[in-house]
Short mmCIF file of all heavy atoms in Angstrom, two decimals:
data_model
loop_
_atom_site.label_atom_id
_atom_site.label_comp_id
_atom_site.label_asym_id
_atom_site.label_seq_id
_atom_site.Cartn_x
_atom_site.Cartn_y
_atom_site.Cartn_z
N ILE A 186 -38.67 -5.21 -4.58
CA ILE A 186 -38.78 -4.45 -5.83
C ILE A 186 -38.89 -5.43 -6.97
O ILE A 186 -38.72 -6.67 -6.82
CB ILE A 186 -37.54 -3.53 -6.02
CG1 ILE A 186 -36.23 -4.32 -5.95
CG2 ILE A 186 -37.58 -2.38 -5.03
CD1 ILE A 186 -34.97 -3.50 -6.17
N GLU A 187 -39.12 -4.90 -8.15
CA GLU A 187 -39.22 -5.75 -9.34
C GLU A 187 -38.75 -4.95 -10.56
O GLU A 187 -38.78 -3.74 -10.57
CB GLU A 187 -40.69 -6.19 -9.54
CG GLU A 187 -40.93 -7.18 -10.66
CD GLU A 187 -39.95 -8.35 -10.63
OE1 GLU A 187 -38.84 -8.22 -11.19
OE2 GLU A 187 -40.30 -9.35 -10.02
N THR A 188 -38.32 -5.65 -11.56
CA THR A 188 -37.99 -5.02 -12.84
C THR A 188 -39.28 -4.39 -13.37
O THR A 188 -40.31 -5.05 -13.40
CB THR A 188 -37.44 -6.08 -13.86
OG1 THR A 188 -36.29 -6.69 -13.30
CG2 THR A 188 -37.10 -5.42 -15.18
N PRO A 189 -39.25 -3.12 -13.82
CA PRO A 189 -40.49 -2.45 -14.16
C PRO A 189 -41.41 -3.18 -15.11
O PRO A 189 -42.65 -3.11 -14.97
CB PRO A 189 -39.97 -1.12 -14.80
CG PRO A 189 -38.68 -0.85 -14.03
CD PRO A 189 -38.08 -2.20 -13.87
N TYR A 190 -40.86 -3.93 -16.08
CA TYR A 190 -41.75 -4.63 -17.03
C TYR A 190 -42.45 -5.83 -16.43
O TYR A 190 -43.40 -6.38 -17.02
CB TYR A 190 -41.01 -5.01 -18.33
CG TYR A 190 -40.06 -6.15 -18.19
CD1 TYR A 190 -40.46 -7.46 -18.39
CD2 TYR A 190 -38.67 -5.92 -17.92
CE1 TYR A 190 -39.59 -8.57 -18.28
CE2 TYR A 190 -37.81 -7.00 -17.83
CZ TYR A 190 -38.26 -8.27 -18.02
OH TYR A 190 -37.39 -9.33 -17.89
N ARG A 191 -42.01 -6.24 -15.20
CA ARG A 191 -42.68 -7.39 -14.52
C ARG A 191 -43.53 -6.93 -13.37
O ARG A 191 -44.05 -7.75 -12.59
CB ARG A 191 -41.65 -8.39 -14.05
CG ARG A 191 -40.99 -9.21 -15.18
CD ARG A 191 -40.42 -10.51 -14.65
NE ARG A 191 -39.39 -10.28 -13.68
CZ ARG A 191 -38.04 -10.34 -13.97
NH1 ARG A 191 -37.67 -10.60 -15.19
NH2 ARG A 191 -37.15 -10.16 -13.04
N ASN A 192 -43.67 -5.60 -13.16
CA ASN A 192 -44.45 -5.12 -12.05
C ASN A 192 -45.85 -5.69 -11.96
O ASN A 192 -46.34 -6.11 -10.91
CB ASN A 192 -44.51 -3.58 -12.07
CG ASN A 192 -43.25 -2.90 -11.58
OD1 ASN A 192 -42.51 -3.48 -10.82
ND2 ASN A 192 -43.06 -1.71 -11.97
N ASP A 193 -46.55 -5.60 -13.11
CA ASP A 193 -47.95 -6.03 -13.09
C ASP A 193 -48.12 -7.52 -12.74
O ASP A 193 -49.03 -7.87 -11.97
CB ASP A 193 -48.59 -5.74 -14.47
CG ASP A 193 -48.71 -4.24 -14.72
OD1 ASP A 193 -48.83 -3.50 -13.77
OD2 ASP A 193 -48.73 -3.85 -15.91
N ALA A 194 -47.25 -8.34 -13.26
CA ALA A 194 -47.33 -9.75 -12.97
C ALA A 194 -46.99 -10.06 -11.51
O ALA A 194 -47.65 -10.89 -10.85
CB ALA A 194 -46.38 -10.55 -13.83
N THR A 195 -46.06 -9.32 -10.91
CA THR A 195 -45.71 -9.49 -9.52
C THR A 195 -46.82 -9.05 -8.61
O THR A 195 -47.21 -9.75 -7.62
CB THR A 195 -44.43 -8.75 -9.18
OG1 THR A 195 -43.37 -9.27 -9.97
CG2 THR A 195 -44.08 -8.86 -7.70
N LEU A 196 -47.44 -7.88 -8.88
CA LEU A 196 -48.57 -7.46 -8.07
C LEU A 196 -49.73 -8.38 -8.19
O LEU A 196 -50.40 -8.70 -7.20
CB LEU A 196 -48.98 -6.02 -8.52
CG LEU A 196 -50.13 -5.43 -7.71
CD1 LEU A 196 -49.89 -5.36 -6.21
CD2 LEU A 196 -50.51 -4.02 -8.26
N ALA A 197 -49.99 -8.91 -9.37
CA ALA A 197 -51.10 -9.83 -9.57
C ALA A 197 -50.87 -11.09 -8.74
O ALA A 197 -51.81 -11.61 -8.09
CB ALA A 197 -51.25 -10.18 -11.04
N ALA A 198 -49.62 -11.55 -8.72
CA ALA A 198 -49.33 -12.77 -7.93
C ALA A 198 -49.52 -12.47 -6.44
O ALA A 198 -50.05 -13.31 -5.69
CB ALA A 198 -47.90 -13.18 -8.19
N ALA A 199 -49.10 -11.31 -5.99
CA ALA A 199 -49.28 -10.93 -4.58
C ALA A 199 -50.76 -10.92 -4.20
O ALA A 199 -51.15 -11.40 -3.14
CB ALA A 199 -48.62 -9.59 -4.32
N LEU A 200 -51.58 -10.33 -5.09
CA LEU A 200 -52.99 -10.20 -4.73
C LEU A 200 -53.68 -11.55 -4.79
O LEU A 200 -54.75 -11.72 -4.16
CB LEU A 200 -53.64 -9.22 -5.70
CG LEU A 200 -53.11 -7.76 -5.60
CD1 LEU A 200 -53.90 -6.88 -6.59
CD2 LEU A 200 -53.22 -7.27 -4.18
N ARG A 201 -53.12 -12.54 -5.48
CA ARG A 201 -53.71 -13.87 -5.50
C ARG A 201 -53.42 -14.58 -4.19
O ARG A 201 -54.31 -15.38 -3.74
CB ARG A 201 -53.18 -14.67 -6.67
CG ARG A 201 -53.80 -14.39 -8.01
CD ARG A 201 -53.47 -15.45 -9.02
NE ARG A 201 -52.04 -15.61 -9.24
CZ ARG A 201 -51.36 -14.95 -10.15
NH1 ARG A 201 -51.96 -14.07 -10.94
NH2 ARG A 201 -50.05 -15.15 -10.37
N VAL A 202 -52.29 -14.42 -3.58
CA VAL A 202 -51.88 -15.26 -2.47
C VAL A 202 -51.93 -14.61 -1.09
O VAL A 202 -52.05 -15.31 -0.07
CB VAL A 202 -50.47 -15.83 -2.66
CG1 VAL A 202 -50.38 -16.59 -4.00
CG2 VAL A 202 -49.41 -14.77 -2.62
N LEU A 203 -51.97 -13.29 -1.05
CA LEU A 203 -51.95 -12.61 0.26
C LEU A 203 -53.35 -12.61 0.90
O LEU A 203 -54.33 -12.58 0.17
CB LEU A 203 -51.46 -11.18 0.12
CG LEU A 203 -50.01 -10.99 -0.35
CD1 LEU A 203 -49.68 -9.49 -0.48
CD2 LEU A 203 -49.06 -11.65 0.61
N GLY A 204 -53.42 -12.63 2.20
CA GLY A 204 -54.66 -12.57 2.89
C GLY A 204 -55.39 -11.25 2.64
O GLY A 204 -54.75 -10.19 2.39
N ASP A 205 -56.71 -11.30 2.77
CA ASP A 205 -57.51 -10.14 2.46
C ASP A 205 -57.11 -8.88 3.27
O ASP A 205 -57.14 -7.75 2.77
CB ASP A 205 -59.00 -10.40 2.76
CG ASP A 205 -59.60 -11.32 1.72
OD1 ASP A 205 -58.97 -11.58 0.67
OD2 ASP A 205 -60.77 -11.76 1.97
N ASP A 206 -56.74 -9.12 4.52
CA ASP A 206 -56.48 -7.97 5.41
C ASP A 206 -54.99 -7.48 5.39
O ASP A 206 -54.63 -6.56 6.12
CB ASP A 206 -56.88 -8.29 6.82
CG ASP A 206 -58.38 -8.37 7.00
OD1 ASP A 206 -59.10 -7.69 6.21
OD2 ASP A 206 -58.86 -9.10 7.90
N THR A 207 -54.16 -8.21 4.67
CA THR A 207 -52.75 -7.78 4.62
C THR A 207 -52.64 -6.42 3.92
O THR A 207 -53.22 -6.21 2.84
CB THR A 207 -51.91 -8.78 3.85
OG1 THR A 207 -51.88 -10.00 4.62
CG2 THR A 207 -50.47 -8.31 3.63
N LEU A 208 -51.96 -5.50 4.54
CA LEU A 208 -51.77 -4.18 3.98
C LEU A 208 -50.71 -4.21 2.92
O LEU A 208 -49.60 -4.77 3.10
CB LEU A 208 -51.42 -3.18 5.07
CG LEU A 208 -52.50 -2.85 6.09
CD1 LEU A 208 -51.95 -2.12 7.27
CD2 LEU A 208 -53.61 -2.00 5.41
N VAL A 209 -50.96 -3.60 1.80
CA VAL A 209 -50.03 -3.56 0.65
C VAL A 209 -49.85 -2.13 0.25
O VAL A 209 -50.85 -1.38 0.01
CB VAL A 209 -50.53 -4.39 -0.52
CG1 VAL A 209 -49.56 -4.29 -1.71
CG2 VAL A 209 -50.70 -5.86 -0.11
N CYS A 210 -48.63 -1.68 0.11
CA CYS A 210 -48.30 -0.32 -0.36
C CYS A 210 -47.65 -0.49 -1.78
O CYS A 210 -46.71 -1.28 -1.90
CB CYS A 210 -47.40 0.45 0.55
SG CYS A 210 -46.94 2.10 -0.09
N VAL A 211 -48.10 0.29 -2.70
CA VAL A 211 -47.48 0.36 -4.01
C VAL A 211 -47.00 1.77 -4.24
O VAL A 211 -47.76 2.73 -4.26
CB VAL A 211 -48.49 -0.01 -5.14
CG1 VAL A 211 -47.89 0.15 -6.53
CG2 VAL A 211 -49.00 -1.43 -4.92
N ALA A 212 -45.68 1.93 -4.29
CA ALA A 212 -45.05 3.23 -4.46
C ALA A 212 -44.34 3.29 -5.79
O ALA A 212 -43.29 2.69 -5.98
CB ALA A 212 -44.04 3.46 -3.31
N ALA A 213 -44.89 4.05 -6.71
CA ALA A 213 -44.41 4.11 -8.10
C ALA A 213 -43.90 5.51 -8.46
O ALA A 213 -44.46 6.52 -8.03
CB ALA A 213 -45.47 3.70 -9.05
N ASP A 214 -42.86 5.57 -9.28
CA ASP A 214 -42.35 6.82 -9.83
C ASP A 214 -42.03 7.81 -8.75
O ASP A 214 -42.31 9.05 -8.87
CB ASP A 214 -43.33 7.45 -10.80
CG ASP A 214 -43.54 6.63 -12.10
OD1 ASP A 214 -42.62 5.84 -12.37
OD2 ASP A 214 -44.57 6.79 -12.75
N LEU A 215 -41.37 7.39 -7.68
CA LEU A 215 -41.07 8.26 -6.55
C LEU A 215 -40.19 9.46 -7.01
O LEU A 215 -39.24 9.30 -7.77
CB LEU A 215 -40.36 7.50 -5.44
CG LEU A 215 -41.26 6.48 -4.72
CD1 LEU A 215 -40.45 5.50 -3.94
CD2 LEU A 215 -42.25 7.22 -3.82
N THR A 216 -40.55 10.63 -6.55
CA THR A 216 -39.94 11.94 -6.81
C THR A 216 -40.24 12.51 -8.18
O THR A 216 -39.85 13.60 -8.54
CB THR A 216 -38.40 11.94 -6.63
OG1 THR A 216 -37.73 11.28 -7.71
CG2 THR A 216 -37.98 11.34 -5.31
N LEU A 217 -41.01 11.73 -8.99
CA LEU A 217 -41.33 12.20 -10.38
C LEU A 217 -42.72 12.88 -10.32
O LEU A 217 -43.49 12.72 -9.37
CB LEU A 217 -41.30 11.08 -11.35
CG LEU A 217 -40.07 10.24 -11.43
CD1 LEU A 217 -40.14 9.14 -12.49
CD2 LEU A 217 -38.82 11.14 -11.67
N GLU A 218 -43.05 13.56 -11.40
CA GLU A 218 -44.38 14.20 -11.48
C GLU A 218 -45.50 13.19 -11.44
O GLU A 218 -46.62 13.46 -10.97
CB GLU A 218 -44.48 15.07 -12.72
CG GLU A 218 -43.60 16.35 -12.68
CD GLU A 218 -43.84 17.24 -13.83
OE1 GLU A 218 -44.75 16.94 -14.67
OE2 GLU A 218 -43.17 18.30 -13.92
N SER A 219 -45.24 11.97 -11.93
CA SER A 219 -46.25 10.92 -11.96
C SER A 219 -46.23 10.07 -10.72
O SER A 219 -46.86 9.01 -10.68
CB SER A 219 -45.98 9.99 -13.17
OG SER A 219 -44.63 9.50 -13.17
N GLU A 220 -45.56 10.51 -9.64
CA GLU A 220 -45.48 9.77 -8.41
C GLU A 220 -46.83 9.32 -7.87
O GLU A 220 -47.82 10.12 -7.87
CB GLU A 220 -44.77 10.59 -7.35
CG GLU A 220 -44.66 9.92 -5.99
CD GLU A 220 -43.95 10.81 -4.98
OE1 GLU A 220 -42.76 10.88 -4.97
OE2 GLU A 220 -44.69 11.53 -4.23
N SER A 221 -46.90 8.08 -7.41
CA SER A 221 -48.11 7.59 -6.84
C SER A 221 -47.75 6.65 -5.67
O SER A 221 -47.01 5.67 -5.88
CB SER A 221 -48.94 6.78 -7.88
OG SER A 221 -50.01 6.12 -7.27
N VAL A 222 -48.23 6.93 -4.48
CA VAL A 222 -47.99 6.10 -3.31
C VAL A 222 -49.40 5.80 -2.69
O VAL A 222 -50.10 6.73 -2.30
CB VAL A 222 -47.09 6.73 -2.28
CG1 VAL A 222 -46.84 5.78 -1.09
CG2 VAL A 222 -45.77 7.16 -2.88
N ARG A 223 -49.73 4.49 -2.58
CA ARG A 223 -51.02 4.18 -2.05
C ARG A 223 -50.97 2.91 -1.22
O ARG A 223 -50.35 1.89 -1.61
CB ARG A 223 -52.01 3.95 -3.23
CG ARG A 223 -53.47 3.76 -2.83
CD ARG A 223 -54.27 3.65 -4.10
NE ARG A 223 -55.66 3.35 -3.88
CZ ARG A 223 -56.54 3.04 -4.85
NH1 ARG A 223 -56.10 2.99 -6.10
NH2 ARG A 223 -57.77 2.78 -4.56
N THR A 224 -51.53 2.95 -0.07
CA THR A 224 -51.56 1.80 0.85
C THR A 224 -53.04 1.40 1.14
O THR A 224 -53.84 2.26 1.52
CB THR A 224 -50.87 2.08 2.20
OG1 THR A 224 -49.49 2.37 1.96
CG2 THR A 224 -50.97 0.90 3.15
N GLN A 225 -53.36 0.12 0.97
CA GLN A 225 -54.68 -0.38 1.33
C GLN A 225 -54.58 -1.89 1.46
O GLN A 225 -53.58 -2.50 1.14
CB GLN A 225 -55.73 0.02 0.27
CG GLN A 225 -55.47 -0.40 -1.13
CD GLN A 225 -56.47 0.15 -2.12
OE1 GLN A 225 -57.33 0.99 -1.76
NE2 GLN A 225 -56.42 -0.31 -3.31
N ARG A 226 -55.65 -2.52 1.91
CA ARG A 226 -55.66 -3.94 2.12
C ARG A 226 -55.74 -4.67 0.79
O ARG A 226 -56.23 -4.12 -0.22
CB ARG A 226 -56.86 -4.34 3.03
CG ARG A 226 -56.79 -3.69 4.39
CD ARG A 226 -57.78 -4.20 5.36
NE ARG A 226 -57.74 -3.41 6.61
CZ ARG A 226 -56.87 -3.62 7.57
NH1 ARG A 226 -55.99 -4.60 7.47
NH2 ARG A 226 -56.87 -2.85 8.66
N ALA A 227 -55.23 -5.88 0.81
CA ALA A 227 -55.17 -6.67 -0.42
C ALA A 227 -56.54 -6.82 -1.09
O ALA A 227 -56.69 -6.75 -2.29
CB ALA A 227 -54.56 -8.04 -0.18
N ALA A 228 -57.59 -7.00 -0.25
CA ALA A 228 -58.94 -7.15 -0.80
C ALA A 228 -59.35 -5.88 -1.56
O ALA A 228 -60.07 -5.99 -2.56
CB ALA A 228 -59.88 -7.44 0.35
N GLN A 229 -58.96 -4.70 -1.08
CA GLN A 229 -59.30 -3.48 -1.77
C GLN A 229 -58.53 -3.31 -3.05
O GLN A 229 -59.07 -2.89 -4.05
CB GLN A 229 -58.99 -2.30 -0.82
CG GLN A 229 -59.86 -2.19 0.40
CD GLN A 229 -59.38 -1.13 1.35
OE1 GLN A 229 -58.33 -1.26 1.99
NE2 GLN A 229 -60.18 -0.07 1.46
N TRP A 230 -57.25 -3.74 -3.06
CA TRP A 230 -56.44 -3.65 -4.28
C TRP A 230 -57.06 -4.52 -5.40
O TRP A 230 -57.01 -4.15 -6.57
CB TRP A 230 -55.01 -4.15 -4.05
CG TRP A 230 -54.11 -3.12 -3.45
CD1 TRP A 230 -53.48 -3.17 -2.23
CD2 TRP A 230 -53.64 -1.93 -4.08
NE1 TRP A 230 -52.68 -2.06 -2.05
CE2 TRP A 230 -52.80 -1.27 -3.17
CE3 TRP A 230 -53.93 -1.33 -5.29
CZ2 TRP A 230 -52.16 -0.06 -3.46
CZ3 TRP A 230 -53.30 -0.10 -5.58
CH2 TRP A 230 -52.45 0.52 -4.67
N ARG A 231 -57.67 -5.65 -5.05
CA ARG A 231 -58.23 -6.54 -6.04
C ARG A 231 -59.34 -5.88 -6.82
O ARG A 231 -59.61 -6.26 -8.01
CB ARG A 231 -58.68 -7.85 -5.41
CG ARG A 231 -57.58 -8.67 -4.80
CD ARG A 231 -58.09 -10.01 -4.26
NE ARG A 231 -57.04 -10.70 -3.49
CZ ARG A 231 -57.02 -10.84 -2.18
NH1 ARG A 231 -58.08 -10.41 -1.44
NH2 ARG A 231 -56.06 -11.45 -1.57
N ARG A 232 -59.97 -4.90 -6.21
CA ARG A 232 -61.10 -4.21 -6.90
C ARG A 232 -60.60 -3.08 -7.74
O ARG A 232 -61.36 -2.52 -8.59
CB ARG A 232 -62.07 -3.71 -5.87
CG ARG A 232 -62.76 -4.79 -5.04
CD ARG A 232 -63.96 -4.28 -4.29
NE ARG A 232 -63.57 -3.36 -3.24
CZ ARG A 232 -63.33 -3.74 -1.94
NH1 ARG A 232 -63.42 -5.04 -1.62
NH2 ARG A 232 -62.98 -2.88 -1.02
N ASP A 233 -59.32 -2.69 -7.64
CA ASP A 233 -58.82 -1.53 -8.38
C ASP A 233 -57.33 -1.69 -8.56
O ASP A 233 -56.54 -1.09 -7.86
CB ASP A 233 -59.15 -0.22 -7.64
CG ASP A 233 -58.70 1.02 -8.39
OD1 ASP A 233 -58.49 0.94 -9.62
OD2 ASP A 233 -58.58 2.08 -7.73
N VAL A 234 -56.95 -2.54 -9.50
CA VAL A 234 -55.53 -2.89 -9.72
C VAL A 234 -54.88 -1.84 -10.61
O VAL A 234 -55.34 -1.61 -11.76
CB VAL A 234 -55.37 -4.28 -10.31
CG1 VAL A 234 -53.90 -4.66 -10.48
CG2 VAL A 234 -56.07 -5.31 -9.44
N PRO A 235 -53.79 -1.19 -10.19
CA PRO A 235 -53.14 -0.17 -11.03
C PRO A 235 -52.33 -0.79 -12.14
O PRO A 235 -51.94 -1.96 -12.06
CB PRO A 235 -52.24 0.53 -10.01
CG PRO A 235 -51.89 -0.53 -9.02
CD PRO A 235 -53.13 -1.36 -8.90
N GLN A 236 -52.03 0.00 -13.16
CA GLN A 236 -51.15 -0.41 -14.25
C GLN A 236 -49.74 0.14 -13.93
O GLN A 236 -49.57 1.33 -13.87
CB GLN A 236 -51.66 0.09 -15.58
CG GLN A 236 -53.01 -0.45 -15.98
CD GLN A 236 -52.99 -1.96 -16.13
OE1 GLN A 236 -52.18 -2.54 -16.89
NE2 GLN A 236 -53.87 -2.65 -15.39
N LEU A 237 -48.77 -0.78 -13.78
CA LEU A 237 -47.45 -0.33 -13.32
C LEU A 237 -46.34 -0.67 -14.31
O LEU A 237 -45.17 -0.36 -14.03
CB LEU A 237 -47.13 -1.05 -12.00
CG LEU A 237 -48.08 -0.79 -10.83
CD1 LEU A 237 -47.76 -1.77 -9.71
CD2 LEU A 237 -47.96 0.63 -10.40
N LYS A 238 -46.68 -1.21 -15.47
CA LYS A 238 -45.63 -1.60 -16.41
C LYS A 238 -44.78 -0.43 -16.81
O LYS A 238 -45.26 0.63 -17.21
CB LYS A 238 -46.28 -2.23 -17.67
CG LYS A 238 -45.22 -2.76 -18.65
CD LYS A 238 -45.88 -3.44 -19.84
CE LYS A 238 -44.85 -3.99 -20.80
NZ LYS A 238 -45.51 -4.68 -21.96
#
Side-chain angles (χ1 to χ4, degrees):
I186 55 177
E187 185 50 272
T188 302
Y190 73 88
R191 288 202 297 261
N192 281 336
D193 290 334
T195 297
L196 179 59
L200 297 182
R201 281 195 300 270
V202 303
L203 296 178
D205 287 350
D206 289 333
T207 293
L208 291 167
V209 178
C210 177
V211 176
D214 292 339
L215 290 164
T216 75
L217 306 183
E218 290 186 4
S219 56
E220 177 181 278
S221 173
V222 182
R223 188 176 174 189
T224 297
Q225 56 185 9
R226 299 187 186 281
Q229 295 172 290
W230 277 117
R231 294 185 190 109
R232 296 194 292 268
D233 183 19
V234 181
Q236 298 299 305
L237 301 170
K238 185 176 181 179

